[in-house]
Amino acid sequence: MFFKDEKERRKILPIVDEEPSFSQFLNYKFIKPYIKDKKVLDIGCWTGQIEKLAVKDTGTIIGIDPGRYAIEFAKKNVPKAHFLVGTINSIPFDDSSFDVVLLLEVLEHIPKDTELSGLQEINRILKKDGFLLLTTPNNNFFSILLDPAFFLIGHRHYSYDRLREFLKKSGFEITGFSVRGGFTQVLFNNLSLLVKHILNRKLKETDWVKKNIKKDYRPGGFLTNCIIARKVK
């Protein structure tokens, strides 16, 4: 059983979207050192899977997403976190409200040519010396070749130089950067989406898949840019 969010037209399948995937668990490991006892905003939270992992570490964590049904699902999925409908280009909070902002696999989905304005909006709601933790597809031959959405809907991939330019113009300094993820992760993710959208089922990670996705996620991959950026102005 599933339903589609009326705004995003994305399928919400409870058996898939309730629990974090192994890849999301690795994203959690990436953000964990920065969120301890902090006030955190997760932009593009979808159904609250990262919140489910992170809520025990943060002082407060709030997730926003443009999908109304996704937010309703998240509120039930993670009652100890806070959720509301919102977008990166109009964040419904005052200036200097958060210590940390998460932008995990979201930048490539916002309207084209709004990346800079979205990052400026994030800068606005971050406190002085606050951190932005960002992941987004890397502009690499293999990451593009193995991304069906790139060819179907123009799913965007970014180079380090382009991201650095966006961040500098929006008042951030990059303090950490790596490219992570490889063949096992991208192929399993693609297959998982097919199983979800065609068969309405969840594809479970075997121990072999988990082992190899974990290896893929070490710095030195080709799939995903992982950036730590500090607000400097």
Side-chain angles (χ1 to χ4, degrees), residues 107 110-119 156 158 162 166:
L107 191 68
I110 69 174
K112 188 177 180 180
D113 299 324
T114 67
E115 293 97 334
L116 181 58
S117 61
L119 292 170
R156 298 190 300 275
Y158 300 90
R162 190 177 182 204
F166 282 144

Side-chain angles (χ1 to χ4, degrees), residues 166-201:
F166 282 144
L167 289 164
K168 184 177 180 180
K169 287 181 177 179
S170 53
F172 289 97
E173 174 187 50
I174 294 176
T175 62
F177 172 76
S178 60
V179 181
R180 307 185 185 210
F183 290 106
T184 303
Q185 186 174 13
V186 68
L187 292 173
F188 183 83
N189 288 348
N190 287 344
L191 186 57
S192 296
L193 287 172
L194 283 173
V195 171
K196 173 183 175 179
H197 289 281
I198 295 175
L199 301 179
N200 300 324
R201 295 182 181 276

Side-chain angles (χ1 to χ4, degrees), residues 41-107:
L41 177 66
D42 179 21
I43 299 174
C45 65
W46 190 230
T47 53
Q49 290 153 300
I50 285 292
E51 281 72 15
K52 203 161 198 174
L53 293 168
V55 68
K56 64 183 182 296
D57 301 304
T58 61
T60 301
I61 187 165
I62 300 172
I64 65 172
D65 196 277
R68 180 169 65 87
Y69 289 138
I71 290 297
E72 289 177 1
F73 188 97
K75 288 177 178 178
K76 297 175 182 178
N77 190 27
V78 195
K80 292 184 179 180
H82 307 276
F83 300 95
L84 68 157
V85 174
T87 69
I88 186 175
N89 293 110
S90 183
I91 302 174
F93 293 101
D94 294 334
D95 296 358
S96 304
S97 294
F98 293 90
D99 302 299
V100 179
V101 171
L102 310 179
L103 194 67
L104 307 177
E105 306 298 320
V106 171
L107 191 68

Side-chain angles (χ1 to χ4, degrees), residues 96-149:
S96 304
S97 294
F98 293 90
D99 302 299
V100 179
V101 171
L102 310 179
L103 194 67
L104 307 177
E105 306 298 320
V106 171
L107 191 68
E108 65 275 14
H109 296 291
I110 69 174
K112 188 177 180 180
D113 299 324
T114 67
E115 293 97 334
L116 181 58
S117 61
L119 292 170
Q120 290 170 335
E121 181 72 346
I122 289 173
N123 183 286
R124 179 187 67 78
I125 57 93
L126 266 176
K127 296 177 182 178
K128 182 180 178 181
D129 295 323
F131 282 97
L132 166 63
L133 308 178
L134 183 155
T135 66
T136 196
N138 181 35
N139 186 16
N140 172 277
F141 173 80
F142 290 112
S143 66
I144 291 172
L145 181 66
L146 296 171
D147 181 6

